[in-house]
Amino acid sequence: MSYSLNSTLLLTILLAIGLFFFLRASSKDRTTIVEISSSQKPVKVLNGLYEWLNLRGWKQTGGDFEQRILIFKGQVVSSKFLAIFLGFLGGFGSCALGLVIIQIYPELGWWPILLGLVGGPVSGMVYFKKSAREEKFELRLINENENDSTLMRLRAHRDELISLENELGEKLQLKSDGSLFKTPI
């Protein structure tokens, strides 16, 4: 096997590994816990959060009055465009792997190119199935006094918490430690 075939095979395998990890990351749980405070009264903040969550499709499914917890559930929908795009990427990548296999083992004929018929639909379906899921948004009121400022602990998907802070931050005077906007890199 020539040097160029070795490097082409290595790059093709690395592309397949990259696609695998992208598909895995698309369905990874990114639940985060953050404490948020506001100088406004708890009733006003909770009403604002309740309206905002309802507008975004979250439904209240439970809670505990004693522990001061509200639980909302919502359905995450897969992107059809991204599923089709990943299907094409998986198909082209599988065809590329087939071409490399043909160069290494010419006696196989053109059959390895048919890997594209398997790799494309599989990668699109894996993304579509894994990324559609039900998520929870938990809100716990921490402070005991109803007349003072508000202190809450929120547990939800990281992107949802960032949207909450961006959209309601000024209106409800929400403040957090800023950890949602920091990247781990």
Side-chain angles (χ1 to χ4, degrees), residues 28 72 84 99 111 154 183:
K28 183 180 176 184
F72 295 84
I84 292 169
L99 288 172
W111 291 101
L154 304 175
T183 59

Side-chain angles (χ1 to χ4, degrees), residues 64-118:
D64 187 352
F65 183 74
E66 297 294 322
Q67 294 183 357
R68 305 172 78 138
I69 295 176
L70 291 175
I71 299 172
F72 295 84
K73 287 190 179 177
Q75 189 67 31
V76 177
V77 180
S78 299
S79 167
K80 291 177 184 170
F81 171 76
L82 191 54
I84 292 169
F85 180 67
L86 288 174
F88 279 120
L89 286 180
F92 289 138
S94 299
C95 285
L97 180 61
L99 288 172
V100 172
I101 291 172
I102 288 172
Q103 293 298 315
I104 296 171
Y105 303 107
E107 63 273 5
L108 292 176
W110 58 273
W111 291 101
I113 293 179
L114 293 178
L115 285 173
L117 295 176
V118 174

Side-chain angles (χ1 to χ4, degrees), residues 38-47 64-69 139-152:
S38 173
S39 58
Q40 297 182 0
K41 293 184 179 184
V43 173
K44 184 174 182 182
V45 173
L46 290 175
N47 284 336
D64 187 352
F65 183 74
E66 297 294 322
Q67 294 183 357
R68 305 172 78 138
I69 295 176
L139 182 147
R140 180 171 185 231
L141 190 60
I142 295 175
N143 60 329
E144 300 292 328
N145 193 347
E146 298 293 326
N147 296 327
D148 291 343
S149 61
T150 304
L151 182 60
M152 300 176 293

